[in-house]
Amino acid sequence: MDKICVVGDRDSIYGFAALGLSIFPTAGDHEEDAKLLRRLADGEYGIIYITESCAAALSDVIAEYAEDVFPAIIQIPGVSGNTGAGIQGVKQSVEKAVGSDILFGNDD
């Protein structure tokens, strides 16, 4: 479980292949995309970057792994822009681990 991959629409993830990361374009079909994410999460990938739009569509599957240490499923912006969901997820994870808000005075 030491590999890193990126999941999302082809336009958003294609460039990550140049960095040596495995890329897995989604089909746009919930059932197929859910199978793909489960296969990656239950396999050899310890870190899964997923575009925010794809994560929104697969939130039910991501919730299945929310309490697990591995894989770390981390949202990233796609070509359509940043929705803020990724940073909110990181903030919640850190708050849970540390026990306090990491962005003092921010009411987001």
Side-chain angles (χ1 to χ4, degrees):
M1 193 176 284
D2 58 350
K3 292 187 176 182
I4 301 172
C5 68
V6 185
V7 177
D9 63 278
R10 182 172 295 281
D11 291 339
S12 296
I13 67 171
Y14 189 73
F16 288 97
L19 299 173
L21 302 178
S22 300
I23 60 169
F24 295 92
T26 53
D29 174 76
H30 185 271
E31 294 244 348
E32 290 299 315
D33 295 343
K35 277 192 231 177
L36 170 66
L37 184 56
R38 284 187 182 104
R39 181 173 56 87
L40 298 172
D42 294 335
E44 57 194 32
Y45 292 95
I47 300 174
I48 300 172
Y49 291 106
I50 185 168
T51 59
E52 290 174 339
S53 60
C54 185
L58 296 173
S59 61
D60 57 329
V61 179
I62 293 171
E64 295 172 17
Y65 299 94
E67 299 298 319
D68 297 343
V69 174
F70 291 104
I73 301 176
I74 303 165
Q75 294 185 44
I76 59 173
V79 293
S80 59
N82 185 355
T83 65
I87 193 68
Q88 185 64 29
V90 170
K91 181 178 181 247
Q92 289 173 345
S93 295
V94 172
E95 285 176 7
K96 184 176 176 183
V98 175
S100 66
D101 188 351
I102 60 171
L103 299 174
F104 300 111
N106 190 349
D107 295 330
D108 291 339

